[in-house]
Structure formats: structure tokens, C-alpha cells
Amino acid sequence: MTALNLIEIHDLTQPELDVFARLTEAQLRNRLEPEKGIFIAESLKVIQCALNGGYQPLSLLMERKQIEGQAQKIIAQCGNIPVYTADRPVLEKLTGYTLTRGVLCAMRRPKLPDVEEVCAKARRIAVLENIANATNVGAIIRSAAALDMDAVLVTPTCCDPLNRRAVRVSMGTVFQVPWTQIGSSPQDWPHPGMEKLHQLGFRTAAMALREDSVSMDDPRLLSEEKIAVVLGTEGDGLSPRTIAACDYTVRIPMAHGVDSLNVAAASAVAFWQLRTK
């Protein structure tokens, strides 16, 4: 293997390892200087998806056995970046968790595109309002990819789609589905963010349990040329202001006394029902 920049880990405190072990998600994101932002991709499949999507690798952390094993292709694609390595017990002590298939990659966070760019050719989009759970965000994005949604928008207080856990749960689809943030501060949602969606031609559908809601299979929803499915956080759901600003309030018909689904499960039902034929 050519140009292998292999670095054996002997000191867990060396600063080059901070990105994998000691920086919080907020520090990795580096809100004050977004051009220096970093995210962590975990597992070979996810890293490969990121590389295929044009994301820039900065350094790798992996079990020693991976170097001549399944990670060879990834290493070759990444060029002469540092490859930090040790046996699994050392890596678990460093990171505080078990590495999925023994590989992490620190990658450069790209500049987010404008909402107009992401939605330019979209007919079906998802808007995630204040969803704090990374697992739910990752699962929703995976469903969006699988069920042919055109784009995903996240509000400023939503969990970052490039959060390590969200990326892993998405199985790398976060690098395939166009997404961006709608608004730069919490004050930008639901207004003026909702107005922007309407200006772009989208009718908005709030997923909420309300007496005045329409069923997910309502023909009016299916006939809309462009629709944005707005999903809220677990527990509180969408804010009353968001629901009031939407064109539709939509529910999924339930049986056996069940009142609602987890937001990730509900998103999959909505995406399937409202997909373009």
C-alpha cells in the first residue's frame, strides 16, 4: 500500500486524537468558524458513502487488523491522511464506546447550500422541526432516501444531520439526500421559514394529532404538485404556531387504541403515502 501515513497510538492524550475522543458535537461543528467544521463518519459503509459524495477526509482511526483487511480500499481512496491505529481495547478506552466495525473518519464539514438550491427541482420534501434525538433524525433521513423524497430541511434547533449517531443510523444516506438548514437562528422558524416554503411553491402539511386534521390518504394531499411534510419532536410535537401556518394538518389513521407512532416511523408512512407516482 503506497503513501500509508500510519501512526501507532501510544499516548491517548495526544491532541491529534481530540477530534475522535474529546471534542463535543458542538465543538466539532464549530459554529463560529463553519469553514473549519468537522464531523465523524463511523463504519466502512458510511465512510464509503461520504467519499462517494465528495466529502473530504482528514484523518482515520481504526483497529490495527483493519489496515490490511476491509479498510484497505478506504485508506487508498483517502490519500496520505493520518491513519491512527491501535487494538480494539485501546480504541474503546480512547473513545468511550465500541467502534462499529472498528473505523472512524474525521471529515471536513461542507458549506450548506441555500434552501432555494436544495428545493429547486424538488416536489416532495421533509421539514424536521426541533427534533433533538439523533437516532430519529438519522432514521428519518434514511426513510427519505429509501422512499424517494427529494430533500430534507432542518430547523435551527434540530439535531445536526452530521451528528455521528445520526450519520450512522442514516447508513450514509445523509450524503445522498440533499439537505440543508432553513433559517440561521431559532427566530427564523416557523416565520419567515414557512413563508419561504410557500414562495417556493410548496403546500405544507403538519403531522399532528388534531381534531381538524385530515387523513393521510386524503385525495387533496395526493394531488398537490409540491408538498412539504413537517415533522415535530417526540413528546411535544409541532409548535402551535407551525401548525397554524401550515396548509394542512395531517394524521395517520390508527387502530387498537394506539394514538401515534414514533416520529421516525410516522415519517416513513407519510413519505410512502405522499411519494410521487
Side-chain angles (χ1 to χ4, degrees):
M1 189 177 299
T2 59
L4 178 58
N5 187 5
L6 185 63
I7 303 171
E8 290 278 347
I9 298 173
H10 300 293
D11 179 7
L12 297 183
T13 66
Q14 63 188 95
E16 294 83 0
L17 299 174
D18 286 352
V19 65
F20 297 111
R22 287 174 286 275
L23 297 185
T24 65
E25 288 287 345
Q27 289 170 327
L28 288 171
R29 191 168 181 173
N30 206 338
R31 291 178 182 271
L32 296 179
E33 297 181 89
E35 69 278 3
K36 296 182 180 179
I38 294 170
F39 70 93
I40 302 298
E42 181 178 359
S43 87
L44 292 171
K45 179 176 180 178
V46 169
I47 295 168
Q48 186 64 65
C49 287
L51 294 174
N52 291 347
Y55 287 73
Q56 178 189 355
L58 301 174
S59 60
L60 287 157
L61 178 74
M62 66 180 63
E63 287 184 72
R64 185 177 288 107
K65 68 179 184 180
Q66 296 282 357
I67 295 170
E68 298 296 335
Q70 295 182 337
Q72 286 190 64
K73 180 182 176 182
I74 294 292
I75 294 172
Q77 287 181 267
C78 288
N80 191 33
I81 66 172
V83 180
Y84 299 99
T85 187
D87 291 326
R88 175 169 289 197
V90 174
L91 297 184
E92 289 184 5
K93 186 176 180 180
L94 171 68
T95 62
Y97 55 87
T98 301
L99 272 65
T100 301
R101 298 187 180 177
V103 183
L104 298 177
C105 185
M107 309 194 88
R108 177 68 65 203
R109 179 181 291 272
K111 182 180 183 297
L112 288 179
D114 294 333
V115 172
E116 291 83 356
E117 179 183 345
V118 168
C119 295
K121 298 180 180 180
R123 294 182 58 198
R124 296 291 185 266
I125 66 172
V127 182
L128 313 189
E129 178 185 274
N130 306 344
I131 299 178
N133 185 288
T135 298
N136 282 335
V137 169
I140 292 170
I141 290 174
R142 186 176 181 183
S143 291
L147 301 173
D148 207 24
M149 296 294 281
D150 298 311
V152 175
L153 304 179
V154 298
T155 65
T157 53
C158 185
C159 170
D160 176 22
L162 293 182
N163 170 287
R164 179 182 63 85
R165 184 179 296 275
V167 170
R168 187 182 70 191
V169 173
S170 82
M171 294 299 290
T173 55
V174 69
F175 309 121
Q176 299 167 339
V177 178
W179 70 272
T180 195
Q181 183 173 293
I182 183 165
S184 57
S185 71
Q187 289 71 38
D188 293 332
W189 182 264
H191 306 287
M194 195 68 73
E195 284 80 2
K196 177 169 287 189
L197 292 177
H198 287 139
Q199 290 167 6
L200 292 172
F202 288 94
R203 300 278 279 175
T204 49
M207 299 294 296
L209 300 173
R210 293 268 294 256
E211 291 184 2
D212 60 349
S213 61
V214 300
S215 177
M216 178 57 67
D217 57 2
D218 190 297
R220 290 173 294 175
L221 292 172
L222 301 179
S223 67
E224 293 289 0
E225 179 66 21
K226 299 172 72 172
I227 197 161
V229 181
V230 188
L231 298 145
T233 189
E234 291 285 337
D236 294 338
L238 293 171
S239 74
R241 290 180 65 214
T242 298
I243 296 172
C246 283
D247 300 297
Y248 298 97
T249 304
V250 183
R251 70 181 184 279
I252 298 171
M254 297 282 149
H256 301 292
V258 177
D259 63 351
S260 64
L261 296 174
N262 163 276
V263 66
S267 74
V269 174
F271 299 164
W272 169 258
Q273 180 65 29
L274 298 176
R275 73 196 187 284
T276 54
K277 304 298 190 289

